[in-house]
Amino acid sequence: MDDVQQIDVKEIMEQIRERIRKHQQEFFHADPAKALSDGPVAADLASLQSSYDIYHIHFTSHRKGLGRLVVLAKQVLRKLLTPMLERQLAYNIANTHIAYHLCKQVAGVLQQQAATSQALQEIVVEQVEGLYQAVRGMMVEQIEGLGQQQAAAFQTLREAVVEQIEGLGQQQAAAVGALQKALFNSLQHRVNEARDSVTETLQMQQEKFSRTERTLAETLQVQQEKLSRTERTVADADARIVELERLGLRLKTNLSMQERRLTMFLEEARKRLPDPLNQEQLQLMADEERHALDALYVSFEDQFRGSREDIKERLQVYLPILKKARLGTDEMPVLDVGCGRGEWLELLQEQNLRAQGVDVNRVLVGECQRQGLEVIERDVIVYLRTLPDASLGAVTGFHVIEHLPFEVLVKLMDETVRVLKPGGVAIFETPNPENVLVGSYTFYLDPTHRHPLPSAVVKFMAEARGLCRVEVMNLHALEVYRMEEAGLEITKRFNEYFYGPQDYAVVGWKA
């Protein structure tokens, strides 16, 4: 008791009296009914009356995308909680009724309290003064005892709570570990079963697919071999038929020519015998003599030039040049000099391009005409000189210039430049002597070839005689025979010299 501070009783009593007086003044000046209807109690009653119905609540959400889902979830949750909400609603209604009843009773009690408050004031003051001292001593003792008891109880409670928390933590950890282990074992077991099932199914399907694939491959191989043999047989037969047809045609043409020559000689002999032949007759006989080897040369070309299909495929490289320049029309026709068997003319005809050919070989001219191609039997230079200036869109010649003497080649260039229209093109293809095999061997397979022409020489002649934008196109390299270079310069040069382009073309334009 010594550490308890001394209390001024008179001062405390005076404070109590002052508070009672203020409470009396406030109470006497206040209307209890108005306090219940206008004060905080009224606001609480109004809130209770308006909010007791917790079941019929209108749900909303501020989210735009998920708002409807959120509202729907809330409505579903309300249906699930309907039993609890109905009990809560009944409880709220009962509380509202009780609150209104209590408010009425409180209003009556307040009025009674106002009447008895004055009488109780003095009694309370006197009793408080007497009781204060006794209560003070008792409270100090009880507070001290309660403090000790509270401290002990709090310590005991804290120890018990800590022990329970630790026990719960251990139990929770053990339960979580057991649950995780069980889930993992179950999941692993199911995964193993699914994996084994899938593996077994895949193996079975793979075995079936392998057997089916082998069967199909064997069947396909057998069919392909049969088809290949049949195709080779048909191709050989077709080629033989075509060759025989051409041979028959040439034999007929050659026979007709021989009969024509023989008839002419007999007629002239009958006319002039015993007189000598004049110059015109000698020239006619000389002209016929120049055509004596026409049929032989056609057979030679069929043997070494290649098939019509191969030549047409090679010549397709020039089609984009004509189409881009819009050549091959009636205003810009194409003239193919030394047209030979007419592969280029046939290709242009298939593309609906206007073209004409000229050649001195009577047998080749006859074959082209029988195929419906527009070909004239005439010497190239003689025919070009009959054409007016700027009358052609293109002049082409494939493997022609290597047959001409140098002087005739110059005349060909001059006449080509003359007859081309502005924007027209000249294309001349010839064997490429930069390829060692061509320059030393294949060039001389044709005995009518005069000498190889390097591309630089032909390009110079084309530019010197008036063509512009002259370019050289290297063609027909033997890629299939090229050796693996492996970064070696000597191998690269060997491939270029022996397996490089076999032909080239000089392409020049008329300004």
Side-chain angles (χ1 to χ4, degrees), residues 78-95:
R78 180 172 64 185
K79 289 183 178 181
L80 294 175
L81 299 176
T82 296
M84 298 176 62
L85 294 177
E86 290 178 350
R87 294 181 62 186
Q88 183 65 39
L89 179 59
Y91 176 75
N92 291 345
I93 294 173
N95 282 342

Side-chain angles (χ1 to χ4, degrees), residues 17 40 52 80 190 231 234 271 289 374 393 423:
R17 292 190 187 95
Y52 77 90
L80 294 175
R190 292 184 179 181
E231 288 179 348
V234 172
K271 291 178 182 179
E289 187 178 0
E374 186 178 351

Side-chain angles (χ1 to χ4, degrees), residues 280-303:
E280 182 180 355
Q281 292 170 334
L282 291 175
Q283 183 63 39
L284 181 60
M285 294 175 66
D287 292 341
E288 290 296 330
E289 187 178 0
R290 281 197 296 268
H291 292 289
L293 299 178
D294 285 357
L296 177 63
Y297 186 78
V298 172
S299 300
F300 171 84
E301 193 171 69
D302 287 341
Q303 180 70 27

Side-chain angles (χ1 to χ4, degrees), residues 86-226:
E86 290 178 350
R87 294 181 62 186
Q88 183 65 39
L89 179 59
Y91 176 75
N92 291 345
I93 294 173
N95 282 342
T96 305
H97 292 163
I98 292 171
Y100 273 95
H101 181 69
L102 289 176
C103 286
K104 291 180 181 180
Q105 291 183 353
V106 167
V109 171
L110 288 176
Q111 291 177 358
Q112 294 176 3
Q113 183 181 4
T116 59
S117 178
Q118 183 65 30
L120 289 175
Q121 179 182 358
E122 295 179 357
I123 296 172
V124 170
V125 171
E126 291 177 357
Q127 290 180 355
V128 168
E129 289 178 352
L131 293 174
Y132 178 75
Q133 296 296 333
V135 172
R136 180 174 177 277
M138 294 174 63
M139 288 183 65
V140 169
E141 293 178 358
Q142 291 179 358
I143 288 172
E144 291 179 352
L146 290 172
Q148 295 175 358
Q149 294 177 2
Q150 184 179 8
F154 181 76
Q155 181 64 25
T156 303
L157 179 62
R158 188 176 68 82
E159 293 176 355
V161 170
V162 170
E163 184 178 356
Q164 290 181 358
I165 290 174
E166 291 177 352
L168 290 174
Q170 293 176 357
Q171 293 177 3
Q172 184 179 9
V176 170
L179 180 61
Q180 289 179 346
K181 186 176 180 180
L183 290 175
F184 177 77
N185 292 334
S186 177
L187 180 62
Q188 187 174 13
H189 179 67
R190 292 184 179 181
V191 168
N192 291 334
E193 289 181 349
R195 182 180 60 190
D196 295 340
S197 176
V198 171
T199 302
E200 184 178 357
T201 304
L202 287 177
Q203 289 177 352
M204 294 174 61
Q205 295 297 330
Q206 188 172 7
E207 290 176 358
K208 291 181 180 179
F209 179 76
S210 299
R211 290 195 298 270
T212 305
E213 187 177 12
R214 287 194 297 271
T215 304
L216 290 175
E218 292 173 357
T219 305
L220 181 61
Q221 185 176 4
V222 172
Q223 295 298 329
Q224 285 181 344
E225 291 177 356
K226 292 181 180 179

Side-chain angles (χ1 to χ4, degrees), residues 295-350:
L296 177 63
Y297 186 78
V298 172
S299 300
F300 171 84
E301 193 171 69
D302 287 341
Q303 180 70 27
F304 295 99
R305 174 71 169 147
S307 66
R308 294 183 63 85
E309 290 72 18
D310 292 339
I311 302 304
K312 285 176 64 176
E313 183 178 357
R314 292 183 180 183
L315 294 175
Q316 288 183 1
V317 69
Y318 302 109
L319 288 177
I321 299 175
L322 300 185
K323 291 183 178 180
K324 184 176 181 181
R326 297 182 179 179
L327 304 177
T329 62
D330 292 337
E331 294 77 16
M332 302 284 280
V334 179
L335 176 65
D336 186 30
V337 297
C339 61
R341 297 180 300 187
E343 295 94 342
W344 175 237
L345 296 175
E346 183 179 356
L347 186 61
L348 295 178
Q349 188 181 67
E350 293 173 356

Side-chain angles (χ1 to χ4, degrees), residues 8 28 114 132 205 315 356 385 394 397 402 428 482 495:
D8 190 350
F28 285 109
Y132 178 75
Q205 295 297 330
L315 294 175
Q356 185 183 28
R385 287 176 176 173
E402 66 271 16
F428 294 107
R482 295 177 73 91
N495 286 333

